[in-house]
Amino acid sequence: GRCVERGRYNLKKRNHNIDIIKGIAIYCVLWGHCIQCMSGDVDFFNLEAIKLIYSFHMPLFALISGYLFFRTSQKRAIDILKSRLISLGVPFFVWNLLLYIRKCIFDILTAHNFEISIMEALHALVSGLWFLKSLFIITVLATLIVKCSKKYKYLCSFAVWISLILFNNVFGDHTADLFPFFVLGYYVAEHKSIVEKIYKCRYIAYIAFIVLLIGMREEYFVYVGGINPVVSEYGFAKQVYFDLYRLIIGILGSSTFIMLVMQIGKYLPSAVNKFFEAMGRVTLQLYVLQSFFLEGVLSQLINHLPLSGGGQSYIFLMEWVVAPIIAIVYAVILKIGVKIIGKVPHLSTALFGVKN
C-alpha cells in the first residue's frame, strides 16, 4: 500500500528532467528564429543549423505534450477541454490580437494608405501562433479518442491521423504533422518500460538520426513541401516519402535530443540546469513573447546590425555563433519579462491563461 501511495505521490511531483528538456527545446526555438531574422536572402531551410533544429524541435514539444497528457487524460473530458480552452485559447486569441495591433501600428507609421479590414482582423485572430491552435485541436481529438475508444485508441488514432492529412486544408498541415508525435508521447507514458529499451539502443538512434539529417532536403519540411499526398505538387508517392522521412527523423531527433540531455545534463553546472529548468516551466509564455518581440519588433534591430557581407564565413558565424548568443540574451530578457508579469495580480491569467 505504501509503495502504491508513494508511486501516486511521485506522479504528482513536477518532473525536473522534463522541464530541463523543455527549456533547452524552447532555446532551440529562439535560436532558430534568430537565424530566421538574420538570414536575409539566404535559403533558410538549406542552412545546416536549421535542418538540425527544425528536424525535431516542434515534434519534441508535441511528444512531451502527449507524454504529459497521459496523466491529464485521467480527468473528466469536460475538465480537460475547459482547462485547455483557458491555457491555450487565452494566449492564442490575446496575443494574435496584440500581433494584429502591432501590425496596424507599423502600417500607420510606414504606409500612407492604411485601412483597417474587418476580414483581415478576423483572419489575424486565428492565423498566428499555429502551435497553440494545433495543440488544442490535437488535445480535443486525443480526449475524444481516449474517452470513447479506450480499447482501440491507437487504431482510432491512426485513422484520425490519416483524416487530418487528407483534410489538411481544414485542420492545418502542422496539426496533421504533429499528431503522431503526440500519440507517441502518450504511448511512451502508458508503456514506460519501453524507455529503457530505447535507451539501450541509443547509439543506433544517434547514428540513424545523423544519417537522415545528412539526407534532409528543403522539401521534406512541412513548411515547404506540405503534407497531403493527394494534392501534392510533388506527386503522391514522393509526398508519402517526404511525410514518412519527416516522421522518422522527428522521432529519432526527439529521442536523440532527450537521451543526450539526460547523459550530458549530469555533467553540466547546476546553475545551467536550473536556468533551463526555469525556462522549461514557462515555455508557453516564452513562445508567445518571442513571437511578438523576436519575430517582429526586435527582428528589425537584428537586421540593421553590421553582421552581413561575409559570404559563407558569415553564414557559418551567423548560424553557430551569433544567433546562439543572441538567443541566450533573448531567453534571459524574456524570462525576466515573464517574472515581472507574474508579479502583477491576474496579468499572467489574462495574457497566458495560467496562474501567477
Side-chain angles (χ1 to χ4, degrees), residues 120-131:
E120 183 185 6
L122 292 175
H123 180 263
L125 284 177
V126 297
S127 59
L129 300 172
W130 64 262
F131 181 73

Side-chain angles (χ1 to χ4, degrees), residues 92 95-97 99-100 103 118-129:
F92 177 75
W95 285 93
N96 273 330
L97 176 61
L99 286 167
Y100 180 69
K103 175 187 177 299
I118 300 299
M119 292 305 298
E120 183 185 6
L122 292 175
H123 180 263
L125 284 177
V126 297
S127 59
L129 300 172

Side-chain angles (χ1 to χ4, degrees), residues 20 265-277:
I20 292 172
K266 55 188 176 184
Y267 300 109
L268 294 176
S270 60
V272 175
N273 282 326
K274 286 181 180 179
F275 172 72
F276 284 119
E277 182 182 346

